[in-house]
């Protein structure tokens, strides 16, 4: 499946009381497809270079003629670029990309409704905002401002377009073709970095 896998990064905070070792464990997602070192290299790329790299990493060979691949490329490139402009560190970018992957996978594979996916997002974000490192005075992965910014981005980029993603990734090709108003090549010629709804609304009739 395109998009790679995610893993959960475990950080433990020990508490020693009366010779008892108690641990509070917090788990936050990381995107396995992109190691931190590779993320650091991608941070140096221009938008066009980033698109080429992400296309190769996700093996999206037909993005110019396939709406689903074009949407995937748009989704991941825009997410990475947003995190870069937000000055996220590599580990924070990895978390952001892992969350984006998880939410999309919940639509594509698990066919979650919006409310269920919102709950999954809340769980992932909560783990990243907890005090979850070995040092008690260390900050969580995301501070309040970063968490708020990520919420805003995902709300605008995914949740407000949820029905659109459901139609694209859970509807058969034949059903999509039935609603087309223009040919698929028009979408393929558009810049993959344009907003998703602009690329698809010209082709589908949502009735």
């Amino acid at each position: 499946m395109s998009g790679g896998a995610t893993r959960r990064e475990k950080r433990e905070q020990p508490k020693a009381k009366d010779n008892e070792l108690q641990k509070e464990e917090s788990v936050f997602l990381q995107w396995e497809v992109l190691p931190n070192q590779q993320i650091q290299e991608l941070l140096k790329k221009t938008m066009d270079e980033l698109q080429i790299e992400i296309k190769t990493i996700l093996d999206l060979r037909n993005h110019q003629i396939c709406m689903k691949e074009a949407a995937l490329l748009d989704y991941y490139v825009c997410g990475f670029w947003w995190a870069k402009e937000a000055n996220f560190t590599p580990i924070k970018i990895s978390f952001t990309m892992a969350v984006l992957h998880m939410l999309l996978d919940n639509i594509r594979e698990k066919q979650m409704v919006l409310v269920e996916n919102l709950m999954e997002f809340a769980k992932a974000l909560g783990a990243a905002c907890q005090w979850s490192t070995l040092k008690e005075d260390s900050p969580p992965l995301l501070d309040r401002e970063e968490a708020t910014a990520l919420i805003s981005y995902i709300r605008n980029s995914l949740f407000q377009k949820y029905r659109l993603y459901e139609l694209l990734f859970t509807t058969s090709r034949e059903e999509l073709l039935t609603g087309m108003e223009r040919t698929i090549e028009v979408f393929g010629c558009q810049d993959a970095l344009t907003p998703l709804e602009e690329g698809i609304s010209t082709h589908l009739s949502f009735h």
Side-chain angles (χ1 to χ4, degrees), residues 13-23 136:
Q13 180 177 334
K15 291 183 177 180
K17 290 184 178 181
D18 300 326
N19 296 323
E20 290 183 6
L21 182 62
Q22 300 175 345
K23 295 183 179 181
E136 293 187 6

Side-chain angles (χ1 to χ4, degrees), residues 5 38 54 57 81 108 121 127 134 144 159 167 172:
Q38 190 171 7
I54 295 293
I57 291 168
W81 195 260
R108 300 172 63 192
F121 175 49
L134 290 172
R144 184 172 182 177
F159 290 137
L167 286 171
S172 69

Side-chain angles (χ1 to χ4, degrees), residues 49-178:
E49 292 170 339
L50 177 63
Q51 177 174 309
I52 293 172
E53 292 291 335
I54 295 293
K55 177 184 67 176
T56 302
I57 291 168
L58 300 183
D59 194 26
L60 300 176
R61 303 178 183 180
N62 301 310
H63 68 284
Q64 291 187 329
I65 58 173
C66 175
M67 285 193 296
K68 291 183 180 181
E69 288 201 7
L72 284 171
L73 186 60
D74 173 83
Y75 183 76
Y76 287 108
V77 171
C78 287
F80 189 99
W81 195 260
W82 174 85
K84 172 184 176 179
E85 293 194 325
N87 294 320
F88 277 14
T89 62
I91 194 171
K92 293 177 183 180
I93 292 176
S94 183
F95 170 75
T96 299
M97 300 302 291
V99 168
L100 289 171
H101 172 72
M102 177 195 72
L103 296 175
L104 188 59
D105 189 61
N106 286 343
I107 296 174
R108 300 172 63 192
E109 302 298 327
K110 301 178 182 179
Q111 298 187 11
M112 280 189 184
V113 298
L114 176 59
V115 173
E116 292 176 329
N117 222 354
L118 279 167
M119 292 177 64
E120 291 297 306
F121 175 49
K123 291 177 184 177
L125 190 65
C129 293
Q130 291 176 1
W131 296 80
S132 55
T133 59
L134 290 172
K135 296 181 179 180
E136 293 187 6
D137 60 344
S138 297
L141 178 67
L142 298 179
D143 61 30
R144 184 172 182 177
E145 183 178 346
E146 291 167 337
T148 300
L150 181 58
I151 291 170
S152 179
Y153 176 74
I154 292 182
R155 181 186 65 235
N156 295 332
S157 64
L158 178 64
F159 290 137
Q160 288 186 355
K161 307 166 188 175
Y162 204 81
R163 181 56 179 157
L164 191 61
Y165 279 97
E166 285 182 317
L167 286 171
L168 184 60
F169 290 110
T170 65
T171 305
S172 69
R173 180 176 179 273
E174 290 73 20
E175 290 176 298
L176 285 174
L177 288 173
T178 300

